[in-house]
Amino acid sequence: MTSRLLCQITGFLTIIIALTALPFFVGPYTITLMIGMLGYVALAIAWAMFSGPTRYVSLATVAFFGIGAYACAVFNESLPYPLLLLVAGLIGLAVALVVGLATLRLAGVYFVIFTFGLAELVRQLVTWFEVNITGTLGRYIFLPVTPEGIYWQLLALSAFAFAISWLIGRSRLGLALKVIGEDEVVAAHCGIAIARIKLALFALSAVIMTLVGAIQAPRWTYVEPSIAFNPTISFLTLIMALLGGANRLMGPIMGAVPLFLLFEWLSANFPNHYSIILGLVFITIVFVLPNGVLDFVEKGLTHRITAAAKPAEVQK
Amino acid sequence: MSALLEVSGLSRRFGGLLAVNDVSFSVGQGAIVGLLGPNGSGKTTVLNMISGHLLPSGGDISLHGKRISGLGASRISKHGVARTFQLVRALPSLTVVENVTVALAFGRQKLWGVAARERAMGFLDQVGLAHRADHLAEDLTYIDQKRMELARALAADPELLLLDEWLAGLNPTELQSGIGLIRSLGSSGITILMVEHVMEAIRALCSQCVIMNAGVKIADAPTADALSDPAVITAYLGEQHA
Ligand SMILES: Nc1ncnc2c1ncn2[C@@H]1O[C@H](COP(=O)(O)OP(=O)(O)OP(=O)(O)O)[C@@H](O)[C@H]1O
Ligand SMILES: [Mg+2]
């Protein structure tokens, strides 16, 4: 048990070290690709952190991502960089707490619709504010961050999100989340403070999403609401987490990496049919692999193993 | 005997239906009390209000003299109320021992890790399920799931245990061991309020019975007196005695 744990931690650290060294061996194209990929890895992990166990399907990802990106655009000239990230994170946290208090009592499809609406609402508010109060629509971001710097920050954020998910999975909080996902009535009767736990997880997940936006924003140089609050980001995150399996530690990563590469390839080769193909992929995943690829593979394997084991038992 | 649970003027309305209508009774510390009545008379609804699953439309519930009505189920559980459900609520994709551990981890004891597992195994042993500890709850038979649910309720370290037809569906041998188990819980100091239709169990276990009909309390007396009450015989026992 402990030796297995040691193996896992060693494996995790080896991968992180290898990825940290990557910029010294590859060109700018790969770094750009990796920035996009790590952004989605962090988003998918953050999404699954809350939505996996609670089964609350959130489309608010881009609301927080966009808040992070916009916070970066608004404060990039007035705040030193580390403080900028802190302020962005705090704004994300504040919005998440307000939204969470208002919505986490909504069930099922109402929550989905509300979170989708929230992203639109934030976008419209920002647009209105920029047009009517500040008199600009777009903003420029001039920050002395290199692509490698962005890459390393996203790597650190992804590693942090992964480690947090791992810790949660082994803690009482993880058990509480599982129970809430299974049966809220039992959860309440066992003494679990459901509302508080959901709110805490929602906020944690939202802060990570906000930071992804804030860290990635300097890549754009120019930001406007339609870029920062593009709803495709919410949908992609959701598909990635579902493809890998939102209830597994490795699930979001196993979904984010291949799907990100697939979508990169699609948008390069079929720019006009991109949305249609995206929709088809989405439908396929929901119908064919409702519990994610990992679950599918695992079930297939155990099926085969038991099928193979049975005749042997009979012979005995 | 001082009262542990005090229910006064309790009512619950579902739309136009008054499912529980001005019900008052009390349960003494350490007693085993039966809550009886024909189908649909409001027994489960009373338990639901005591455990915090439903909010009362009117009336008060207090435990040790402290008002608990109006609190949510998770707060009430911290006051020492635990229950089983008429239709079992297992956590199907958790193992049997995990199901019990949940009550230890978030209940009044806050146990976790090896200590929690050991305690959970103790409760499983008490209900005769220790040998299935690492099976998934969904793989248990319905009766075994009921056992598991009782172990989970016990793991919450209750002062007041609410049982909703926990003995229903047992065969004669299982019924005898079930009665023995509840009696041993009573002698260990847990106060029990049990909804039950099995007369044999009620006569064997309950010192006092509260009897409801159509949401109203129609009797509240020592068991033998309550069961021979003419109003009770007409409303509830008649069908069985005829
Ligand atoms: N959540 C609910 N919503 C609407 N009506 C309800 C609800 N719960 C119970 N009722 C109604 O309230 C009445 C009392 O139901 P309750 O389940 O308390 O009866 P009971 O005495 O436990 O019956 P049984 O012996 O069949 O379990 C019934 O008419 C039932 O249909
Ligand atoms: Mg009932």
Side-chain angles (χ1 to χ4, degrees):
Chain A
M1 187 81 184
T2 26
S3 74
R4 203 174 140 218
L5 181 65
L6 209 66
C7 270
Q8 287 172 340
I9 293 179
T10 321
F12 175 70
L13 290 178
T14 314
I15 292 174
I16 297 297
I17 292 170
L19 285 174
T20 309
L22 189 73
F24 301 112
F25 302 100
V26 298
Y29 170 75
T30 312
I31 292 298
T32 305
L33 195 70
M34 290 301 287
I35 286 176
M37 188 191 290
L38 283 176
Y40 274 111
V41 165
L43 287 177
I45 294 176
W47 188 89
M49 205 180 268
F50 169 73
S51 297
T54 61
R55 301 179 192 181
Y56 275 53
V57 174
S58 163
L59 286 175
T61 307
V62 81
F64 297 107
F65 176 90
I67 285 172
Y70 241 84
C72 182
V74 171
F75 297 114
N76 82 93
E77 282 165 1
S78 52
L79 289 178
Y81 188 68
L83 200 57
L84 177 69
L85 292 185
L86 183 70
V87 168
L90 288 178
I91 297 174
L93 177 66
V95 175
L97 290 177
V98 172
V99 169
L101 280 174
T103 60
L104 288 176
R105 289 177 201 282
L106 294 178
V109 73
Y110 298 102
F111 182 79
V112 184
I113 294 168
F114 182 90
T115 53
F116 182 70
L118 174 74
E120 279 303 298
L121 177 74
V122 174
R123 170 160 85 150
Q124 296 301 336
L125 278 178
V126 170
T127 309
W128 180 88
F129 189 85
E130 294 285 60
V131 170
N132 293 293
I133 312 283
T134 54
T136 54
L137 190 54
R139 281 175 182 269
Y140 289 91
I141 303 176
F142 297 114
L143 279 171
V145 222
T146 60
E148 287 77 13
I150 294 179
Y151 168 82
W152 281 319
Q153 287 179 63
L154 285 176
L155 180 61
L157 184 62
S158 302
F160 169 78
F162 184 80
I164 291 278
S165 298
W166 181 77
L167 283 174
I168 289 176
R170 299 169 63 88
S171 69
R172 284 161 27 117
L173 179 59
L175 181 61
L177 286 166
K178 258 201 242 173
V179 178
I180 292 172
E182 294 258 303
D183 189 333
E184 291 201 358
V185 173
V186 174
H189 279 85
C190 286
I192 296 175
I194 299 177
R196 213 183 312 156
I197 286 184
K198 278 189 198 161
L199 185 65
L201 254 281
F202 185 68
L204 176 63
S205 141
V207 168
I208 296 172
M209 292 169 174
T210 311
L211 288 177
V212 175
I215 293 172
Q216 265 188 354
R219 288 295 285 160
W220 286 323
T221 320
Y222 173 79
V223 176
E224 59 175 47
S226 60
I227 303 175
F229 294 96
N230 176 0
T232 312
I233 294 175
S234 296
F235 282 104
L236 281 185
T237 304
L238 180 151
I239 303 175
M240 288 167 173
L242 288 185
L243 174 72
N247 270 316
R248 282 154 189 276
L249 185 60
M250 290 301 292
I253 301 179
M254 299 306 266
V257 173
L259 274 186
F260 176 78
L261 294 175
L262 174 69
F263 291 133
E264 276 298 298
W265 183 75
L266 285 177
S267 58
N269 293 287
F270 307 95
N272 299 329
H273 304 101
Y274 178 77
S275 323
I276 299 176
I277 301 175
L278 182 74
L280 287 177
V281 170
F282 184 66
I283 291 170
T284 315
I285 290 173
V286 170
F287 277 97
V288 181
L289 303 167
N291 292 317
V293 172
L294 287 181
D295 186 78
F296 182 77
V297 171
E298 200 171 86
K299 288 248 167 73
L301 275 183
T302 46
H303 199 77
R304 261 200 223 157
I305 289 167
T306 46
K310 269 196 184 133
E313 261 169 39
V314 172
Q315 278 171 2
K316 253 193 290 176
Chain B
M1 207 159 41
S2 67
L4 172 69
L5 175 75
E6 197 86 53
V7 171
S8 59
L10 192 65
S11 300
R12 171 71 206 205
R13 185 177 286 287
F14 294 112
L17 173 76
L18 198 54
V20 174
N21 184 358
D22 194 19
V23 167
S24 305
F25 63 92
S26 63
V27 176
Q29 179 89 49
I32 302 183
V33 172
L35 179 57
L36 279 54
N39 290 347
S41 55
K43 308 179 293 291
T44 297
T45 306
V46 169
L47 293 197
N48 284 343
M49 289 188 281
I50 297 173
S51 80
H53 181 43
L54 288 176
L55 284 176
S57 312
D60 272 328
I61 303 168
S62 53
L63 199 72
H64 280 309
K66 265 184 271 170
R67 185 163 182 264
I68 56 168
S69 44
L71 301 180
S74 95
R75 298 277 299 282
I76 290 179
S77 77
K78 299 276 180 357
H79 280 86
V81 178
R83 70 175 294 180
T84 65
F85 293 89
Q86 185 170 358
L87 291 174
V88 175
R89 283 177 175 268
L91 301 164
S93 69
L94 270 59
T95 64
V96 173
V97 68
E98 281 173 336
N99 261 271
V100 180
T101 310
V102 173
L104 293 167
F106 304 99
R108 309 204 286 171
Q109 339 207 10
K110 301 260 178 278
L111 280 185
W112 184 242
V114 182
R117 188 181 160 95
E118 270 168 19
R119 284 299 297 278
M121 289 305 293
F123 289 115
L124 285 176
D125 202 35
Q126 206 175 349
V127 301
L129 263 188
H131 61 293
R132 312 224 52 185
D134 293 307
H135 287 74
L136 287 183
E138 66 188 356
D139 293 338
L140 296 185
T141 63
Y142 189 74
I143 295 296
D144 278 350
Q145 290 192 358
K146 286 187 124 177
R147 290 201 172 97
M148 180 188 77
E149 211 185 28
L150 179 59
R152 191 171 66 202
L154 294 176
D157 186 24
E159 282 179 68
L160 174 66
L161 176 63
L162 309 172
L163 299 176
D164 200 347
E165 302 195 20
W166 190 76
L167 294 165
L170 299 185
N171 69 33
T173 333
E174 290 168 338
L175 181 63
Q176 287 317 313
S177 71
I179 291 174
L181 178 58
I182 295 177
R183 184 179 289 126
S184 73
L185 298 177
S187 7
S188 77
I190 301 176
T191 305
I192 300 174
L193 176 62
M194 53 190 283
V195 171
E196 199 50 74
H197 287 297
V198 183
M199 281 302 154
E200 188 186 345
I202 293 161
R203 289 185 206 277
L205 291 168
C206 304
S207 54
Q208 173 201 348
C209 280
V210 175
I211 299 171
M212 293 177 66
N213 185 32
V216 183
K217 184 177 91 171
I218 56 171
D220 180 0
T223 302
D225 302 346
L227 295 184
S228 54
D229 187 314
V232 172
I233 292 174
T234 339
Y236 178 44
L237 300 173
E239 52 203 276
Q240 288 164 25
H241 285 209

